[in-house]
Amino acid sequence: AQSVTQLGSHVSVSEGALVLLRCNYSSSVPPYLFWYVQYPNQGLQLLLKYTTGATLVKGINGFEAEFKKSETSFHLTKPSAHMSDAAEYFCAVTSRGYQKVTFGTGTKLQVIP
Amino acid sequence: DAGVIQSPRHEVTEMGQEVTLRCKPISGHNSLFWYRQTMMRGLELLIYFNNNVPIDDSGMPEDRFSAKMPNASFSTLKIQPSEPRDSAVYFCASSFGAGNYEQYFGPGTRLTVT
């Protein structure tokens, strides 16, 4: 079985500050990891993904995440928060050959002017 | 591409009525997923199809829920009879398998059962 744990259901940062959203996963096989973003009244859209290869992955809107196997983590970061980053962020896990994706409970990011 | 299309966007119905939600996946995608999102339970996978065949329906809450995918471009999720606790946002997502795994979500259907 696979699972993800997102630490902090709500995170607040000041505009221009570092964004750090935490995700830890559990998987008995090599994981494929994703971050999705959901803006109000919209569906989820993919921010970035890790499958194999480089452990630091870059996504849209200046976000990036680093796969750390030793820590079973896949934290999402952005150097400087923008007001438009306010949304809910979901970490997700699956594995090769297994199309079912397990989503975390989400973290709502608030950006304070 | 138009993306995943869901209809209706909003549905308000009375308890006991039948509700049908519709989804058109992205052309060429061979997997389709139905999710339910609520404040209390978060995002739950209800069922998913691969090449129009239901693969895993373990997330379907009970027999009142049923889903079909008669062809590669259309799927329905039906609730009969509906209950107030079914109120949620229902999302459809599609993906192209063969090592991709990215899911593309539709805008969702907000269902309110009174």
Side-chain angles (χ1 to χ4, degrees):
Chain A
Q2 298 179 311
S3 65
V4 290
T5 301
Q6 292 185 241
L7 298 176
S9 58
H10 291 80
V11 170
S12 293
V13 300
S14 298
E15 189 174 17
L18 171 71
V19 176
L20 171 59
L21 303 183
R22 299 178 186 273
C23 172
N24 288 88
Y25 70 90
S26 174
S27 179
S28 58
V29 296
Y32 290 176
L33 295 158
F34 307 82
W35 276 100
Y36 284 81
V37 61
Q38 184 180 29
Y39 298 103
N41 300 313
Q42 294 186 27
L44 281 69
Q45 62 183 87
L46 185 68
L47 264 182
L48 50 80
K49 67 176 179 179
Y50 167 80
T51 52
T52 58
T55 57
L56 181 64
V57 292
K58 297 184 185 298
I60 61 173
N61 301 337
F63 284 93
E64 62 182 37
E66 187 171 10
F67 169 61
K68 292 187 176 181
K69 183 179 178 180
S70 61
E71 298 177 8
T72 61
S73 68
F74 191 58
H75 301 330
L76 182 70
T77 61
K78 182 174 180 178
S80 176
H82 191 273
M83 295 299 295
S84 61
D85 295 328
E88 190 161 16
Y89 293 80
F90 292 86
C91 183
V93 64
T94 188
S95 56
R96 182 178 179 179
Y98 190 57
Q99 284 196 286
K100 184 175 178 177
V101 174
T102 301
F103 286 85
T105 52
T107 297
K108 286 189 177 177
L109 176 65
Q110 179 186 24
V111 182
I112 303 168
Chain B
D1 200 312
V4 176
I5 299 172
Q6 291 187 247
S7 64
R9 292 295 310 276
H10 302 272
E11 178 78 40
V12 180
T13 191
E14 293 184 347
M15 182 174 64
Q17 296 298 306
E18 177 180 299
V19 175
T20 299
L21 311 181
R22 296 173 176 79
C23 174
K24 176 179 170 56
I26 292 172
S27 177
H29 283 191
N30 60 354
S31 294
L32 184 139
F33 306 79
W34 281 102
Y35 292 90
R36 178 172 68 176
Q37 186 178 40
T38 61
M39 289 289 290
M40 291 297 294
R41 301 173 69 93
L43 192 65
E44 304 173 276
L45 176 65
L46 301 177
I47 184 171
Y48 80 93
F49 296 83
N50 193 39
N51 294 322
N52 312 337
V53 176
I55 302 300
D56 185 346
D57 65 354
S58 59
M60 297 285 262
E62 47 198 276
D63 292 346
R64 297 184 298 107
F65 286 69
S66 62
K68 293 182 180 179
M69 192 164 186
N71 57 61
S73 59
F74 184 66
S75 177
T76 59
L77 178 67
K78 186 177 294 186
I79 308 173
Q80 164 65 17
S82 59
E83 296 182 3
R85 59 191 167 124
D86 302 330
S87 297
V89 180
Y90 291 81
F91 289 104
C92 175
S94 69
S95 71
F96 177 70
N100 197 347
Y101 307 102
E102 298 175 29
Q103 294 187 14
Y104 294 79
F105 280 74
T109 296
R110 182 173 295 276
L111 173 66
T112 303
V113 183
T114 61

